[in-house]
Amino acid sequence: MVSSPAKIPKIDEVVIDLTDEKKLVIDRLISGSGKLDVVAVVGMAGLGKTTLVRRVYNDPLVTYHFHIQAWCCVSQAYQKRELLLQILSDIVELTDDVLEMSDEELKLKLYRCLRRNRYLIVMDDIWSIEALYDFKRSFPNDDNGSRILITSRHFHVAAEDEVDGTPHSLRRLSDDESRKLLQKKLFDTKECPNELMEVGEQIAASCKGLPLAVIAIAGLLGRTDMILDRWKEVLESICSQTTDDPEMRCMEILDICYRYLPNYLKPCFLYTAVILEDKDIPVKKLAWLWRAEGFLTDTGAESIEDIAEGYLRDLIGRSLLQNGYDELFYSSHEDIDYGVDPNYIYPKNSIKYQKRRLCICSKRNHFIMSRPSGPYVRSLLYSATNDLYPRCPYDISFIFDNFKLLRVLDLECINMGDSFPTGVLVLVGLRFLALCGDIDSIPASITFLQNLETLLVKGLKGNVSLPYAMWSMENLRHVHVKNYAVITLQDGESIVFPDVLNLVSLSSPYLLCSKGIEDIMRRLLKLRKLKCRFSELRDDTGKSNQFPVLNFLTELESLNMLYSGRVASPCKFDFPSNLRKLTLSKFRLPWDCISDIGRLPNLEILKLQYKAFEGKVWEMKEGEFLKLKFLKLDSLNIAEWNASSDHLPQLQHLILKSCRQLKEVPSGFGGSSTLEMIEVLLCTGSLEESVRRLQEEQPDMRNKLTVLVDCSDLDF
């Protein structure tokens, strides 16, 4: 997953008063000498180091002071290349040219990006000072007040000579602060019932001042009946643990929260352990894996996708996953093998695994050399620990001989070469298949995999041709191809399609408006998510066609479209009324064509990217965008935006990126009672100033406006 420039860590929803701690850290960052210094925040796991540093990172004093900000998660077993790419992703776009650079080229690029800029680099969760040494040559010292901010659970790491002054030791919460945090999580602004007050105070005190433990136990209590006996039962479970060590107590509380999970959620939660530490969980992919593993029960009352989303929300509500789906902790599953040490050179004889699920994380060549096998393995998931870009192709044919009973095969991190591996067709039990390579086509024989529900293909060389025959696969629900898929009729194909195809999501097809494509589209009546690229075609008169009608896709909720060519003007969009999320790119339409979109009754998220609309002035109209909550304007030539809060009555989050002619945001937004956040990325200084004024002039409301500004490309 390629990150966008200036990726800003999210702000935690849980309110913990860290004002005093935050001020101390900010003072050390923006004051002091001009030389490059390292500032450290230390404390045990679960104490809130990352929470504190995120708030420092996003504070207006910090974002205004530093020209460039970047964030990376280091962890115990880090890879230098991956950290380089993490840092660069916050500064520049990770194009294919960047991803194909050598490690030394990446270090030089980072140095050049940072040079002569006052920068702040956050290195979260450092376990050894060597991680800092590895990047020393890439961090220029221009004597301009640049800073490196590190977090570590080990005081001795932060006490090294490289660190400026005494590390900032984050204190534990007092019993009163723990009680207030528990109260906030459970009841928000309401008071705790009197009959629960005493036992609630005891539960809070038992968390030993660790915010993570308080939040986790609040997630458990929030899922129980708010009655005294149930709370006493939880307190008894906590008190049965005898350790006085705060960190061990935190893990014991997390274990208690797991034991209270309903049985149907336990395997779903444990399965998140296949995601590498400090990595974002790809929510859609995780839900598809849950389905393939049989963790989701189809009741018929709602779709499997809705059930998966409900499970995720339940785990978030229990604080076992954080909002944004970052993991709080891992728990090992007795039925999962975690194999292949990345630092060990394996012999050529096969390593045999006995468990049903196998998750391997290693360097690519070590994985191939180890030639794993498993006669009972039903799931094989591979993750690469090193190079993020799979340049070199490998022979993966041994997998199809060594794992005959697979239902899940995830090889998205390894290049299988320029030919689709026909050996995979013997794995007739496959439900989930993710492949990567230099391939340009999928053969019609893919239909042999009649149980296949999810197909993910990462084409490294451009378009991938999909056969018409594939659409006859009745169990297929999710097809996602990167970069683009072309749907073609291959020689000798003769297909009888069902009247309604079961496909729920289709991503990145390159759709030409031919009769065959239209015939397929009109059968996708269950489609809920579509990401596609449409090409310009000419009608009988030689004029460009209007955009294809899609109003028959009555289940469609999310649509992402990029257009190749120029749509005839005026253009009438004919989208289904159920649409909730819309992303448009390269349509180059005048702003007066946007009313068709504004009148969509259920639209909540709108992203207008790279020349989606052209023109200097956007004059918004009354009665449109009535439910819009999220708006992103990216790489548009708009110079004047005339609107007020009445035009966007539900807007909560606004992102303005690379709008280099836009001088200010509408002043009328200052009166909005719903607007919570504005992000400004790679825009002009005057636009930044107008957003700051908006923040200062906003009346004192419950939802105070947050402003995040990336200053790396402003016109100072």
Side-chain angles (χ1 to χ4, degrees):
M1 179 173 62
V2 178
S3 301
S4 60
K7 178 186 63 182
I8 299 175
K10 55 188 170 293
I11 297 176
D12 298 79
E13 295 179 355
V14 180
V15 178
I16 304 173
D17 187 4
L18 297 173
T19 305
D20 54 339
E21 304 269 5
K22 188 173 81 168
K23 185 178 184 303
L24 290 171
V25 178
I26 290 176
D27 286 345
R28 293 182 65 174
L29 291 177
I30 65 179
S31 61
S33 67
K35 72 181 182 68
L36 175 63
D37 280 330
V38 181
V39 177
V41 175
V42 297
M44 68 180 68
L47 200 54
K49 300 182 295 297
T50 301
T51 297
L52 171 63
V53 171
R54 278 176 178 161
R55 296 184 182 185
V56 168
Y57 185 94
N58 291 315
D59 189 274
L61 287 174
V62 173
T63 59
Y64 184 82
H65 181 76
F66 292 100
H67 305 155
I68 291 177
Q69 291 176 239
W71 183 294
C72 68
C73 296
V74 181
S75 302
Q76 187 170 11
Y78 68 92
Q79 296 293 328
K80 286 184 286 187
R81 179 181 182 84
E82 185 173 346
L83 293 185
L84 281 167
L85 289 170
Q86 277 190 48
I87 296 171
L88 280 168
S89 72
D90 284 352
I91 304 171
V92 298
E93 183 179 359
L94 294 185
T95 63
D96 287 345
D97 289 340
V98 174
L99 293 172
E100 292 178 8
M101 287 181 176
S102 66
D103 291 2
E104 290 304 315
E105 289 172 330
L106 288 175
K107 289 180 181 179
L108 180 59
K109 184 171 184 63
L110 177 58
Y111 179 87
R112 288 172 174 169
C113 288
L114 297 178
R115 191 177 180 187
R116 299 190 183 92
N117 286 292
R118 186 187 304 123
Y119 59 85
L120 170 64
I121 308 294
V122 174
M123 302 185 73
D124 190 25
D125 196 20
I126 282 188
W127 286 64
S128 68
I129 202 66
E130 282 73 22
L132 192 57
Y133 293 152
D134 284 339
F135 291 88
K136 192 171 182 180
R137 288 193 300 133
S138 296
F139 296 152
N141 186 357
D142 292 320
D143 202 30
N144 60 359
S146 293
R147 298 287 185 265
I148 311 297
L149 178 57
I150 69 172
T151 69
S152 180
R153 65 187 69 181
H154 304 294
F155 188 90
H156 72 275
V157 172
E160 296 280 347
D161 292 338
E162 290 288 331
V163 180
D164 175 46
T166 305
H168 179 83
S169 295
L170 191 58
R171 64 176 177 83
R172 281 189 275 165
L173 301 180
S174 66
D175 286 351
D176 187 55
E177 287 173 321
S178 296
R179 178 188 61 79
K180 289 179 179 177
L181 178 58
L182 187 65
Q183 154 92 25
K184 175 68 178 176
K185 282 290 291 179
L186 285 171
F187 304 106
D188 196 17
T189 59
K190 298 178 182 179
E191 288 295 324
C192 175
N194 290 332
E195 65 271 18
L196 299 177
M197 190 74 73
E198 182 179 351
V199 67
E201 290 177 352
Q202 295 177 48
I203 290 173
S206 69
C207 293
K208 302 295 183 181
L210 293 177
L212 176 59
V214 177
I215 293 169
I217 209 69
L220 171 58
L221 294 173
R223 287 298 188 273
T224 62
D225 298 326
M226 293 293 180
I227 56 177
L228 184 59
D229 287 346
R230 296 303 301 272
W231 281 40
K232 284 183 176 180
E233 180 184 326
V234 172
L235 178 60
E236 185 178 341
S237 296
I238 298 174
C239 293
S240 66
Q241 310 295 326
T242 58
T243 180
D244 290 326
D245 180 77
E247 195 163 0
M248 287 300 298
R249 170 54 61 91
C250 183
M251 295 308 299
E252 289 172 348
I253 288 175
L254 291 172
D255 184 62
I256 291 170
C257 293
Y258 169 74
R259 285 191 273 116
Y260 271 88
L261 278 176
N263 288 333
Y264 67 86
L265 277 182
K266 286 181 179 179
C268 293
F269 173 67
L270 292 173
Y271 204 81
T272 62
V274 304
I275 311 297
L276 296 182
E277 184 183 7
D278 286 327
K279 299 296 183 186
D280 289 338
I281 299 176
V283 176
K284 291 187 296 185
K285 184 175 179 179
L286 182 62
W288 299 334
L289 286 167
W290 283 353
R291 176 183 170 89
E293 295 285 3
F295 297 158
L296 308 179
T297 302
D298 190 353
T299 62
E302 56 182 336
S303 70
I304 289 291
E305 288 71 28
D306 287 337
I307 293 171
E309 184 176 341
Y311 284 10
L312 280 167
R313 293 188 184 279
D314 199 348
L315 290 171
I316 292 169
R318 295 171 184 273
S319 297
L320 296 179
L321 302 179
Q322 284 183 333
N323 195 22
Y325 310 127
D326 288 340
E327 289 177 72
L328 285 180
F329 72 99
Y330 293 105
S331 185
S332 180
H333 195 303
E334 63 179 10
D335 196 30
I336 300 179
D337 265 341
Y338 300 90
V340 191
D341 182 344
N343 297 311
Y344 179 70
I345 301 297
Y346 288 89
K348 291 186 177 181
N349 55 306
S350 175
I351 298 178
K352 183 171 290 189
Y353 294 91
Q354 301 299 320
K355 297 295 178 69
R356 290 183 59 192
R357 297 185 177 96
L358 176 58
C359 177
I360 295 178
C361 178
S362 73
K363 294 181 179 179
R364 291 182 177 88
N365 60 329
H366 291 177
F367 171 63
I368 298 300
M369 292 173 64
S370 69
R371 299 182 66 82
S373 68
Y376 308 109
V377 173
R378 299 297 193 275
S379 303
L380 173 61
L381 302 98
Y382 171 72
S383 298
T385 59
N386 52 347
D387 178 9
L388 290 180
Y389 192 82
R391 299 187 191 87
C392 179
Y394 292 95
D395 180 4
I396 61 171
S397 59
F398 69 91
I399 291 174
F400 314 122
D401 295 326
N402 294 355
F403 299 93
K404 298 289 189 181
L405 302 179
L406 287 179
R407 292 188 302 189
V408 171
L409 178 58
D410 185 355
L411 298 177
E412 197 174 3
C413 291
I414 192 163
N415 187 342
M416 62 183 180
D418 57 8
S419 299
F420 183 85
T422 55
V424 75
L425 301 177
V426 304
L427 305 179
V428 293
L430 274 182
R431 299 177 184 175
F432 178 100
L433 176 61
L435 296 173
C436 167
D438 300 321
I439 60 171
D440 56 12
S441 65
I442 303 294
S445 54
I446 188 76
T447 55
F448 291 169
L449 303 178
Q450 283 296 318
N451 292 303
L452 196 63
E453 298 170 348
T454 300
L455 175 64
L456 310 182
V457 180
K458 183 184 293 183
L460 301 177
K461 290 294 182 67
N463 290 342
V464 177
S465 175
L466 301 180
Y468 265 39
M470 193 171 71
W471 309 109
S472 66
M473 299 171 67
E474 295 188 6
N475 289 312
L476 197 60
R477 297 178 66 87
H478 306 282
V479 175
H480 288 251
V481 180
K482 182 182 178 182
N483 293 318
Y484 290 106
V486 181
I487 301 172
T488 59
L489 184 64
Q490 298 179 357
D491 292 341
E493 281 191 279
S494 177
I495 307 101
V496 177
F497 294 118
D499 291 337
V500 178
L501 302 178
N502 288 318
L503 211 63
V504 173
S505 63
L506 176 60
S507 178
S508 293
Y510 186 64
L511 296 179
L512 296 171
C513 302
S514 64
K515 185 180 184 303
I517 293 296
E518 184 177 346
D519 184 48
I520 291 177
M521 293 297 294
R522 288 193 172 273
R523 297 170 188 262
L524 297 178
L525 299 183
K526 296 183 180 180
L527 199 65
R528 298 176 64 178
K529 296 182 180 181
L530 173 63
K531 181 179 180 182
C532 58
R533 175 180 178 179
F534 279 89
S535 275
E536 179 181 24
L537 286 180
R538 305 276 175 179
D539 60 19
D540 294 338
T541 65
K543 295 181 179 179
S544 296
N545 283 342
Q546 303 285 345
F547 184 78
V549 173
L550 294 177
N551 59 11
F552 54 85
L553 298 176
T554 55
E555 298 294 319
L556 195 66
E557 296 179 354
S558 177
L559 178 60
N560 185 327
M561 302 183 304
L562 182 150
Y563 194 80
S564 297
R566 181 176 293 272
V567 179
S569 184
C571 173
K572 179 176 176 56
F573 291 104
D574 202 345
F575 295 141
S577 60
N578 203 49
L579 206 61
R580 293 179 54 250
K581 180 179 179 180
L582 176 62
T583 302
L584 297 176
S585 304
K586 294 184 70 175
F587 278 80
R588 299 182 174 91
L589 289 169
W591 285 105
D592 57 10
C593 291
I594 203 171
S595 290
D596 289 330
I597 296 171
R599 286 192 289 266
L600 290 170
N602 295 298
L603 191 65
E604 296 180 358
I605 298 172
L606 176 62
K607 300 179 183 180
L608 303 178
Q609 302 180 159
Y610 190 65
K611 299 182 179 180
F613 286 83
E614 288 187 332
K616 301 298 183 183
V617 181
W618 182 11
E619 194 83 38
M620 297 198 74
K621 299 177 181 179
E622 297 285 348
E624 300 175 357
F625 299 107
L626 297 181
K627 289 190 178 181
L628 198 69
K629 297 178 181 179
F630 179 98
L631 176 61
K632 180 178 181 179
L633 305 181
D634 183 355
S635 304
L636 306 177
N637 67 348
I638 181 174
E640 182 180 342
W641 185 10
N642 297 324
S644 70
S645 57
D646 293 336
H647 293 105
L648 295 164
Q650 300 296 324
L651 188 65
Q652 298 174 5
H653 193 161
L654 172 63
I655 297 179
L656 302 169
K657 178 184 173 185
S658 298
C659 295
R660 300 175 186 273
Q661 299 182 45
L662 186 61
K663 299 302 181 185
E664 61 180 7
V665 293
S667 58
F669 286 176
S672 173
S673 61
T674 61
L675 190 57
E676 299 173 357
M677 180 177 291
I678 299 179
E679 296 183 45
V680 180
L681 314 171
L682 307 175
C683 292
T684 65
S686 63
L687 181 61
E688 179 208 353
E689 291 172 8
S690 75
V691 173
R692 296 290 188 199
R693 283 197 305 271
L694 207 67
Q695 184 183 39
E696 294 168 0
E697 296 169 0
Q698 189 188 40
D700 186 17
M701 300 178 182
R702 181 182 173 188
N703 290 327
K704 188 66 176 176
L705 177 63
T706 299
V707 172
L708 304 177
V709 178
D710 167 52
C711 305
S712 60
D713 199 33
L714 294 176
D715 55 345
F716 293 103

